[in-house]
Amino acid sequence: MLTKRQEEVLQAIVRQYTTTGQPVGSKALVDHLAKKVSSATIRNEMAVLEHEGLVTKEHSSSGRVPSKLGYRYYVDHLLDPLSVTENDLIVIQNSLGTEYQKIDEIVSHSADLLSNLTSYTAFTLKPEQKDAHLSGFRLVPLGNQKVIAILVTDTGDVESQSFTLPRGIDTEAMEAVIRLINDQLTGLTLPEVVKRLVTDIPLQVTRYLHQPEGFLNIFDSVASRAAHERFFVGGRLNLLGFVNQQNSAAVQDLYALLDHGNNLQAILDPDDEHDISVRIGNEIADSQVLDDYSLITAKYQVDQYGEGIIAVLGPTRMPYARTIGLVDAFRRELAKRLLDHYRRYYDS
């Protein structure tokens, strides 16, 4: 265990380094400790921190910089999240106060807003749709065998995709199948809908369509997409400021990670014990791609409508106190905004 003064020195090093980006020397810390001590005393404490692996030297004559272990100790024991400023709160509230038609619009815009607030890459995941029920399904013809499939849930979400219908499909028969689906599946949860599509619904559809696979694939695609988690990413280019752009392989690996939903789902899965969690370096993923990054992940609750996730990915040299404060304030405002949207939908 560190002594109180050693903790103060480590805390000061982290705060100085995350602010300036420059190695921190003993003279720079003299005015940043609660009790006045000499620079020689500070150097001795820095030597202890270095021996413990909490700080390192970039070269023999430089000051110290926090190691990943040092950041971990700071976050776990020394961090005091900063309250957001009144201006930050106004920006969040005003930006989330825009009128939206869909939940996806709110959550997608939130990723961009959180990225702008922090200057890092942000992720948002809308509340789980496990309890959402099917309200209706329809096809809108566009001509030349093309249609838009539209699925509506009782939470106000609208999922739509465009498709090309198989040639030779009978229009009247297709309308009969749509009525069948709405009669049989309206009111069921989306996972139940997806399950029925591989059990009894195909057999019923064959009464109208001799080869129902093409149509059922359309409906299954839209229903499955609505039922599964949806990630939105804001500020992808912000990562370029923290990666060695001369290492093209590192840049490609980083962006490949952001472009695959399964990868994102794996790294954004938060610590179930905490509403806000901080993972540093190889704590994020087994891959070395994120070794020099930190990920702050937060849950937000939208009453009975489910739980969502927001996250910020930035360099290990991030101002943790301010960033965590922003994430905490943002998740609370986002939850309020989404709850207002759900209630307005139900009251309408």
Side-chain angles (χ1 to χ4, degrees):
M1 283 294 294
L2 300 182
T3 66
K4 180 67 174 176
R5 187 161 63 195
Q6 288 163 358
E7 287 188 337
E8 288 182 0
V9 171
L10 177 61
Q11 185 180 58
I13 290 173
V14 172
R15 287 178 174 175
Q16 283 281 97
Y17 183 66
T18 55
T19 299
T20 66
Q22 299 299 316
V24 182
S26 57
K27 293 181 180 179
L29 297 182
V30 170
D31 296 328
H32 291 276
L33 301 183
K35 292 183 178 180
K36 295 293 182 182
V37 294
S38 68
S39 58
T41 298
I42 294 175
R43 282 197 298 274
N44 290 335
E45 301 292 26
M46 294 172 78
V48 174
L49 296 176
E50 185 174 1
H51 177 74
E52 295 294 328
L54 299 172
V55 298
T56 61
K57 276 187 175 182
E58 293 188 331
H59 50 79
S60 59
S61 61
S62 74
R64 269 69 166 191
V65 300
S67 66
K68 293 183 180 66
L69 186 61
Y71 284 124
R72 183 76 268 166
Y73 191 99
Y74 170 79
V75 169
D76 289 343
H77 303 288
L78 308 176
L79 182 110
D80 184 17
L82 293 175
S83 298
V84 295
T85 66
E86 187 68 24
N87 183 62
D88 286 332
L89 194 55
I90 290 173
V91 169
I92 293 172
Q93 291 172 338
N94 288 346
S95 298
L96 288 175
T98 307
E99 289 297 324
Y100 300 95
Q101 300 300 316
K102 296 172 59 177
I103 293 295
D104 280 9
E105 292 178 0
I106 304 175
V107 181
S108 174
H109 178 65
S110 296
D112 294 328
L113 175 57
L114 185 57
S115 172
N116 291 336
L117 283 170
T118 61
S119 298
Y120 303 132
T121 297
F123 309 90
T124 53
L125 169 63
K126 70 180 183 180
E128 295 180 25
Q129 296 298 294
K130 292 177 182 177
D131 295 328
H133 296 73
L134 178 66
S135 288
F137 174 74
R138 62 180 298 199
L139 291 181
V140 178
L142 300 176
N144 295 323
Q145 300 295 118
K146 295 187 180 298
V147 296
I148 291 181
I150 301 173
L151 180 149
V152 182
T153 72
D154 63 345
T155 59
D157 274 354
V158 179
E159 187 68 49
S160 62
Q161 288 180 260
S162 60
F163 297 92
T164 300
L165 289 173
R167 291 194 173 276
I169 193 168
D170 183 88
T171 304
E172 291 185 3
M174 185 177 65
E175 290 294 334
V177 172
I178 292 173
R179 288 194 297 271
L180 168 70
I181 285 176
N182 284 316
D183 289 342
Q184 293 283 321
L185 303 182
T186 294
L188 299 181
T189 65
L190 295 181
E192 289 171 337
V193 168
V194 173
K195 183 178 180 181
R196 291 280 300 276
L197 288 174
V198 295
T199 55
D200 60 307
I201 291 297
L203 183 60
Q204 296 186 54
V205 172
T206 56
R207 293 184 300 179
Y208 305 95
L209 297 173
H210 295 297
Q211 294 181 315
E213 293 81 9
F215 175 82
L216 287 176
N217 287 341
I218 290 175
F219 183 61
D220 179 62
S221 176
V222 179
S224 297
R225 184 177 176 185
H228 288 93
E229 296 177 327
R230 299 283 302 284
F231 292 98
F232 299 93
V233 184
R236 291 171 186 265
L237 293 179
N238 288 346
L239 289 178
L240 288 178
F242 312 111
V243 66
N244 181 2
Q245 295 187 45
Q246 294 181 346
N247 186 346
S248 59
V251 175
Q252 290 175 4
D253 288 345
L254 190 58
Y255 277 85
L257 182 73
L258 300 185
D259 285 335
H260 289 84
N262 290 338
N263 292 337
L264 286 179
Q265 184 170 344
I267 69 171
L268 294 181
D269 187 21
D271 183 347
D272 289 336
E273 296 181 2
H274 302 93
D275 286 340
I276 300 178
S277 65
V278 180
R279 282 176 283 171
I280 299 168
N282 59 14
E283 297 172 354
I284 305 173
D286 293 335
S287 169
Q288 293 184 341
V289 175
L290 298 176
D291 198 41
D292 293 323
Y293 294 86
S294 289
L295 180 73
I296 298 174
T297 309
K299 305 173 188 175
Y300 64 91
Q301 300 284 343
V302 191
D303 208 3
Q304 73 268 29
Y305 304 106
E307 178 182 274
I309 296 171
I310 65 172
V312 168
L313 179 67
T316 52
R317 188 184 67 80
M318 69 162 63
Y320 291 93
R322 170 169 167 76
T323 307
I324 292 173
L326 282 172
V327 168
D328 188 32
F330 191 89
R331 73 186 179 103
R332 297 176 190 277
E333 290 299 322
L334 177 58
K336 291 178 185 177
R337 185 66 184 84
L338 289 171
L339 186 57
D340 287 344
H341 181 88
Y342 281 122
R343 286 174 173 168
R344 186 162 55 248
Y345 175 82
Y346 277 117
D347 292 340
S348 62

